[in-house]
Amino acid sequence: MKKADKKLFSRWIDVFGARVHNLKNIDVAIPKDTLTVITGPSGSGKSSLAFDVLYTEGRRRYVESLSSYARQFLGVSSKPEVDKINGLCPAVAIEQKTVSHNPRSTVGTVTEIYDYLRVLYARVGTPHCPKCDSEITSESAQSIAQRIIVGYNDQTVMLVAPIAQRQKGEFIRQLSALFEQGFTRFIINGTLHKFRVLEDIKNLTLQKTKKHTIDLVVDRCLITEKDASRIQEAVEKASVQVGGLCKVVSDKDETLYSMHQSCVSCGIAVPDLEPRLFSFNSPVGACKNCGGIGMCTVLDEDADPWEIFFAYRRGEGQRTCGDCNGNRLNPIALAVRLDAKAIYELTAMPIKELHKFFANLSIDEHKQAIARDVVIEISNRLMFLIDVGLSYLALNRTAGTLSGGEGQRIRLAKQIGSGLSGVLYVLDEPSIGLHQRDNDQLIATLKKLRDQGNTVIVVEHDHDTMKNADYLIDMGPAAGVRGGQITAHGTFEQLIKNRKSLTGAYLAGDRGILLKKEIRKKSGELTLRDAKKNNLQNVTVKIPLGVMTGVSGVSGSGKSSLIMHELVTGVANKLKRLPQAEVGPKVSGIDSLYNMVVIDQSPIGRTSRSNPATYLKIFDQIRALYASLPESNIRGYKVGRFSFNVSEGRCQKCKGDGSITVEMHFLPAVTVECKECNGQRYDKQTLQITYRGKNIADVLAMTAYEALEFFKNHQKLHKRLQLMCDVGLDYIGLGQPSTTLSGGEAQRIKLVHELAKRGKGTLYVLDEPTTGLHTNDIERLLYVLNRLVDQGNTMIIIEHNLDVLKTVDYLIDLGPEGGDDGGAIVATGTPQQVATCKESHTGRYLKSYFK
């Protein structure tokens, strides 16, 4: 670190001797209270420095400052391989992870905005009758008695007071107090109890951690008109005990009455509004039919379990709940209104529309006084989400459908709302999935987080983010074993003048992705008509065949809906020769297509036993090679011997996992390296077989770049390894568990798989293939993609990256905005033609490339 750099900022985080993963014993200084970007080629060590050194050590030190009792729940991370770090702050990581796959988790619950909505509706909502939609009014004890006589005439019933409705506790004190008042009969969890002495209650032993339903039996009688006064007296006694409620229990049913809220004409009573009535995760508020999921199972429960499993994986076997219409709540909760809107209507609005709703909320002065603080909190949180480019989302969107970038920006919005200062925030490419227009808002948000007195470190490739950073650290010079060094550091102006910086060369314009000299001519045309999925406005679009087409638009404009949901489905049905539906999108012009390959960012495997080598079938060839060696033949070893999934040659202690999971009962499970094989997965006899001095475990530990040289004389292996390097995956380990790969890495591995086997006449659909890539890697990726198109294939790329969009043959821009204001075709044509469209946000940013 130069002394001149130290003078720029007053306080620094100093790292000495970092050796995590591929870091080469580096020393680096990061200025505090700044926005610092760590950049460099993919696999150069950016995340290792940001997350595995700075965040891990910052979190470890904070957790170690807590009591031993607290530490046992939080878990203590091991110290990263680093000599010393000075000036480190408590750290928070905001990573590219899916928020949750739980169907009960939504944008509203994750951001906690839905919790505030529940409080708001409980305090100032107006209940309506679920049947006739009239506003609920209170009733007198006399009118309730008359309704009981009409509804239960000549029936013997119990008139009870609902003491507890699915509440936790032992209830000894409450039951004892009622016993002393003369009440001896209670219905507890469905069973009638009659207590003779106080000791009976103490011996009840209700578990305080479980939920209980308790009713106080006020009277039991035959309902007749002549007993009207007795019934009214029982209603009054019950309502005194529980604030106006009374319940009738008969052999057939139970009916709740309220002296406060009840529809006189329909005979429907509404309990006092409370937040859990609006929670679809509580039995009190959830729809009884679907349990608060909004969807119901339609598969036969007696069907084969595997059939059911794969049906769910395909998104089949479920339908929208007919009782709640997918709104998750029970009828009473759905009928409560705030300014003429039910809670489900608010959660279905795009966030920017919901923000407008609360800005113009119309309620009386008394309710305004109650709701003021809650409304301010909701509005602030909605604004934070708008600031990070998520204005198009709705609160009812399930968390599992969010991309990694959307999930990260939601967590970023929560952190801004927390108002913390003195914290080290580490972010992993927050610009992923954002249009350039929305990226400007994100950068402003990152600066706001910094201005609150925090140190913000961003692992990023986006040029605009780098231009707005206070300080830049460029890692490199390449990926994997050829990376792990600091090639340049300083301000933006210093970096673009540094000849050692690869990133600086691109930022300065000395290097760059060139515009196409010649636009390809289409060989045909694919037509999609009447697309209406999600926010699409009955779109009809023509897509040229035999060329590379880009699909762009601001976040939430309908790109994925148009291509992934409508076009892909339509083409797949055509290729399978399925009959076209009478209603819905129509696809024509696919006669020249023989196949379609969709390469998205879903994982290539869901267990640690899956890795790039197994997915690409490289491992099959490697195992065959080792089985063919003379020593293997002498010992009688077959191909299966070299698989860690077969008991024959794997470590028997860890069953080929390389690690052992230790269950800690009430604590999270701990995973430790297997001592028997030292994480190598195989037994000693198998590891004795070597090729060019390397055993099978050594090969799995190689990166694609190392393996390319090692297997240079094996044509089939070399071809796939070369493709891995061509798409910027030279730093990936052959045996790296699939669960540790990012979405972008998984997508490029799938691309390698397709590159190795396809001919021509294939439609390739890619969803943001540049995710996580440095400009230098994008340049290499584009070379490979263009090679595929030149072979006679068609390619459609959903993308925000301008370096990609400026080089496509044809561009389809959606918008003009996100959510309900999007879903239309704004512009089509060559990138240069789209750049001249004034209505196109993408065109506005592309314009500078064609000057």
Side-chain angles (χ1 to χ4, degrees):
M1 179 61 62
K2 296 177 182 177
K3 289 184 178 179
D5 284 353
K6 283 283 188 178
K7 290 180 181 179
L8 290 172
F9 306 97
S10 58
R11 301 193 305 148
W12 296 76
I13 298 171
D14 294 301
V15 180
F16 300 95
R19 299 177 297 280
V20 174
H21 301 315
N22 67 333
L23 297 181
K24 305 284 198 305
N25 200 33
I26 62 170
D27 298 343
V28 63
I30 297 155
K32 282 189 171 185
D33 306 326
T34 63
L35 172 57
T36 296
V37 169
I38 301 177
T39 189
S42 305
S44 58
K46 305 181 297 295
S47 295
S48 296
L49 175 60
F51 289 95
D52 299 324
V53 174
L54 292 167
Y55 165 67
T56 300
E57 180 63 4
R59 182 183 184 278
R60 187 188 71 83
R61 290 185 186 182
Y62 173 71
V63 171
E64 283 200 340
S65 71
L66 303 175
S67 68
S68 58
Y69 178 77
R71 289 202 302 270
Q72 70 175 328
F73 298 106
L74 295 172
V76 180
S77 306
S78 58
K79 188 178 187 299
E81 287 188 73
V82 60
D83 292 339
K84 184 171 63 172
I85 303 180
N86 295 333
L88 194 57
C89 322
V92 173
I94 306 175
E95 299 178 81
Q96 287 277 352
K97 291 181 180 177
T98 305
V99 181
S100 172
H101 288 290
N102 189 331
R104 294 184 179 279
S105 183
T106 66
V107 171
T109 60
V110 170
T111 58
E112 297 172 0
I113 293 173
Y114 191 70
D115 295 331
Y116 285 97
L117 283 178
R118 292 194 296 116
V119 172
L120 187 65
Y121 269 77
R123 298 294 174 260
V124 297
T126 303
H128 287 68
C129 175
K131 281 190 176 181
C132 67
D133 201 36
S134 61
E135 190 173 323
I136 296 292
T137 57
S138 59
E139 283 194 273
S140 66
Q142 184 178 357
S143 63
I144 290 174
Q146 285 301 314
R147 285 179 53 199
I148 292 172
I149 291 168
V150 172
Y152 292 93
N153 193 36
D154 287 334
Q155 294 183 44
T156 300
V157 302
M158 285 186 285
L159 298 161
V160 305
I163 302 298
Q165 174 70 19
R166 292 187 59 81
Q167 293 179 358
K168 292 180 181 180
E170 294 178 330
F171 298 98
I172 293 174
R173 188 169 56 82
Q174 295 96 317
L175 292 173
S176 298
L178 290 168
F179 182 82
E180 289 173 354
Q181 293 178 37
F183 297 106
T184 60
R185 291 177 295 174
F186 298 85
I187 301 173
I188 301 175
N189 297 328
T191 303
L192 181 63
H193 292 258
K194 185 172 183 179
F195 301 121
R196 301 186 182 279
V197 292
L198 201 58
E199 197 65 28
D200 292 345
I201 295 174
K202 294 178 181 178
N203 295 332
L204 194 58
T205 63
L206 293 178
Q207 293 185 34
K208 66 179 179 181
T209 56
K210 291 190 176 181
K211 294 178 179 178
H212 305 286
T213 298
I214 302 174
D215 294 325
L216 162 65
V217 179
V218 177
D219 197 357
R220 183 178 184 276
C221 63
L222 177 68
I223 302 298
T224 60
E225 184 68 46
K226 66 178 182 179
D227 288 322
S229 59
R230 177 181 174 180
I231 295 167
Q232 182 177 335
E233 184 182 352
V235 169
E236 289 172 346
K237 279 186 180 180
S239 64
V240 167
Q241 297 296 334
V242 287
L245 289 179
C246 171
K247 188 161 68 173
V248 175
V249 179
S250 72
D251 293 335
K252 297 178 181 179
D253 60 12
E254 295 181 0
T255 305
L256 181 69
Y257 299 92
S258 172
M259 293 179 67
H260 301 302
Q261 298 179 137
S262 180
C263 176
V264 179
S265 57
C266 298
I268 295 176
V270 175
D272 288 338
L273 302 185
E274 54 180 333
R276 63 179 180 163
L277 177 65
F278 302 96
S279 172
F280 44 78
N281 293 324
S282 165
V284 176
C287 168
K288 296 293 184 278
N289 187 43
C290 65
I293 299 292
M295 306 291 288
C296 292
T297 303
V298 295
L299 289 174
D300 184 1
E301 292 183 1
D302 296 327
D304 179 58
W306 281 107
E307 182 186 335
I308 295 172
F309 173 77
F310 285 112
Y312 284 139
R313 288 284 300 273
R314 295 191 302 267
E316 301 170 0
Q318 288 189 311
R319 59 169 173 77
T320 302
C321 174
D323 286 15
C324 66
N325 293 319
N327 295 317
R328 298 174 177 252
L329 298 172
N330 63 42
I332 290 174
L334 293 174
V336 180
R337 307 281 168 75
L338 176 68
D339 197 6
K341 294 286 186 184
I343 194 167
Y344 73 90
E345 293 178 284
L346 297 192
T347 59
M349 289 182 181
I351 284 170
K352 67 176 181 180
E353 296 300 322
L354 187 57
H355 188 265
K356 289 179 185 176
F357 172 84
F358 281 107
N360 302 310
L361 185 64
S362 177
I363 52 178
D364 62 53
E365 290 185 8
H366 174 68
K367 288 184 176 180
Q368 279 181 15
I370 298 170
R372 185 178 295 112
D373 292 343
V374 180
V375 170
I376 290 172
E377 186 64 35
I378 291 172
S379 297
N380 287 342
R381 288 180 181 243
L382 291 172
M383 197 66 229
F384 294 145
L385 291 169
I386 293 169
D387 288 342
V388 295
L390 296 175
S391 60
Y392 59 92
L393 291 181
L395 296 184
N396 65 359
R397 179 159 166 183
T398 52
T401 65
L402 297 171
S403 68
E406 288 169 333
Q408 186 183 35
R409 292 195 293 280
I410 283 176
R411 286 189 285 271
L412 175 59
K414 283 182 69 176
Q415 290 300 329
I416 296 168
S418 70
L420 290 173
S421 64
V423 176
L424 170 65
Y425 286 104
V426 186
L427 291 90
D428 184 15
E429 297 190 65
S431 68
I432 285 177
L434 274 186
H435 188 273
Q436 212 65 28
R437 195 275 308 265
D438 303 309
N439 198 35
D440 295 341
Q441 290 178 295
L442 175 66
I443 293 167
T445 302
L446 294 175
K447 289 181 176 180
K448 186 175 182 179
L449 194 61
R450 173 202 63 188
D451 295 342
Q452 289 177 351
N454 299 299
T455 302
V456 182
I457 296 176
V458 182
V459 175
E460 189 58 91
H461 297 295
D462 177 67
H463 288 192
D464 283 347
T465 307
M466 289 188 247
K467 288 175 185 175
N468 283 275
D470 303 306
Y471 200 74
L472 290 157
I473 297 171
D474 194 19
M475 304 287 295
V481 293
R482 297 176 294 156
Q485 301 175 52
I486 306 292
T487 58
H489 55 81
T491 62
F492 178 80
E493 290 73 20
Q494 291 172 329
L495 203 73
I496 60 176
K497 295 175 184 176
N498 193 322
R499 294 185 177 275
K500 293 181 181 178
S501 172
L502 177 64
T503 305
Y506 281 101
L507 291 173
D510 299 333
R511 290 187 64 167
I513 296 173
L514 299 176
L515 293 169
K516 244 184 200 144
K517 291 181 181 178
E518 188 176 345
I519 299 294
R520 296 184 185 91
K521 292 183 179 179
K522 65 183 180 181
S523 60
E525 210 165 55
L526 191 66
T527 304
L528 173 69
R529 294 185 177 87
D530 307 328
K532 300 176 183 177
K533 186 76 174 181
N534 297 330
N535 67 332
L536 294 176
Q537 311 291 328
N538 201 24
V539 168
T540 293
V541 64
K542 294 184 177 181
I543 300 168
L545 297 174
V547 304
M548 183 184 289
T549 297
V551 180
S552 63
V554 298
S555 305
S557 59
K559 303 181 295 297
S560 295
S561 297
L562 179 69
I563 302 301
M564 304 303 283
H565 295 151
E566 296 282 40
L567 181 71
V568 166
T569 303
V571 172
N573 289 341
K574 275 276 191 178
L575 290 173
K576 293 174 186 173
R577 292 182 167 47
L578 296 176
Q580 238 176 185
E582 293 182 10
V583 180
K586 309 284 193 304
V587 177
S588 58
I590 71 162
D591 296 339
S592 61
L593 295 177
Y594 303 111
N595 193 26
M596 177 177 65
V597 175
V598 179
I599 306 176
D600 59 14
Q601 296 191 15
S602 60
I604 61 170
R606 297 185 181 276
T607 71
S608 59
R609 292 181 180 273
S610 172
N611 56 51
T614 57
Y615 184 84
L616 296 172
K617 308 299 181 186
I618 293 172
F619 199 41
D620 293 346
Q621 298 170 47
I622 293 171
R623 291 191 295 117
L625 171 63
Y626 272 80
S628 69
L629 295 173
E631 184 64 25
S632 293
N633 291 329
I634 293 169
R635 298 189 184 191
Y637 291 171
K638 304 298 181 185
V639 174
R641 179 84 191 193
F642 300 95
S643 170
F644 47 74
N645 292 323
V646 177
S647 61
E648 187 181 349
R650 70 187 182 189
C651 170
Q652 297 304 311
K653 182 75 173 176
C654 64
K655 308 297 184 188
D657 264 337
S659 60
I660 294 174
T661 301
V662 182
E663 294 295 335
M664 302 295 285
H665 302 294
F666 61 91
L667 293 176
V670 175
T671 301
V672 295
E673 185 180 273
C674 175
K675 292 182 179 179
E676 188 75 20
C677 66
N678 295 318
Q680 292 187 301
R681 296 180 170 228
Y682 295 92
D683 61 22
K684 290 180 181 178
Q685 289 73 28
T686 306
L687 295 175
Q688 287 171 357
I689 307 298
T690 61
Y691 171 71
R692 295 182 60 194
K694 302 288 186 182
N695 61 37
I696 191 80
D698 295 330
V699 171
L700 285 173
M702 290 179 181
T703 63
Y705 176 76
E706 293 169 321
L708 181 69
E709 173 62 25
F710 188 76
F711 292 111
K712 61 183 178 182
N713 296 323
H714 298 267
Q715 188 177 358
K716 286 185 177 180
L717 273 172
H718 192 269
K719 178 185 177 182
R720 295 200 176 218
L721 291 167
Q722 183 64 61
L723 287 170
M724 283 186 74
C725 296
D726 289 346
V727 298
L729 293 175
D730 43 358
Y731 62 94
I732 293 289
L734 297 188
Q736 183 174 338
S738 299
T739 51
T740 66
L741 298 171
S742 69
E745 288 167 342
Q747 186 179 38
R748 292 195 294 281
I749 287 173
K750 293 176 189 175
L751 180 61
V752 169
H753 186 59
E754 295 303 326
L755 283 166
K757 67 178 184 180
R758 295 291 171 196
K760 62 179 182 179
T762 297
L763 170 63
Y764 289 95
V765 181
L766 284 79
D767 187 7
E768 297 192 53
T770 62
T771 296
L773 286 185
H774 187 270
T775 310
N776 185 55
D777 300 309
I778 294 173
E779 195 170 357
R780 294 161 65 188
L781 177 65
L782 282 172
Y783 171 76
V784 173
L785 297 180
N786 278 297
R787 200 168 76 194
L788 262 179
V789 178
D790 291 337
Q791 289 172 358
N793 297 298
T794 300
M795 187 166 291
I796 300 173
I797 305 174
I798 301 171
E799 191 56 83
H800 291 295
N801 189 287
L802 295 175
D803 279 324
V804 175
L805 296 179
K806 74 181 184 184
T807 62
V808 299
D809 301 300
Y810 192 77
L811 187 56
I812 300 169
D813 191 45
L814 278 85
E817 301 296 333
D820 292 341
D821 295 329
I825 303 293
V826 176
T828 59
T830 65
Q832 194 161 3
Q833 289 170 335
V834 172
T836 62
C837 178
K838 294 180 180 179
E839 292 77 26
S840 170
H841 291 300
T842 305
R844 191 169 76 250
Y845 286 95
L846 276 174
K847 208 169 191 177
S848 61
Y849 290 96
F850 297 102
K851 286 182 180 178

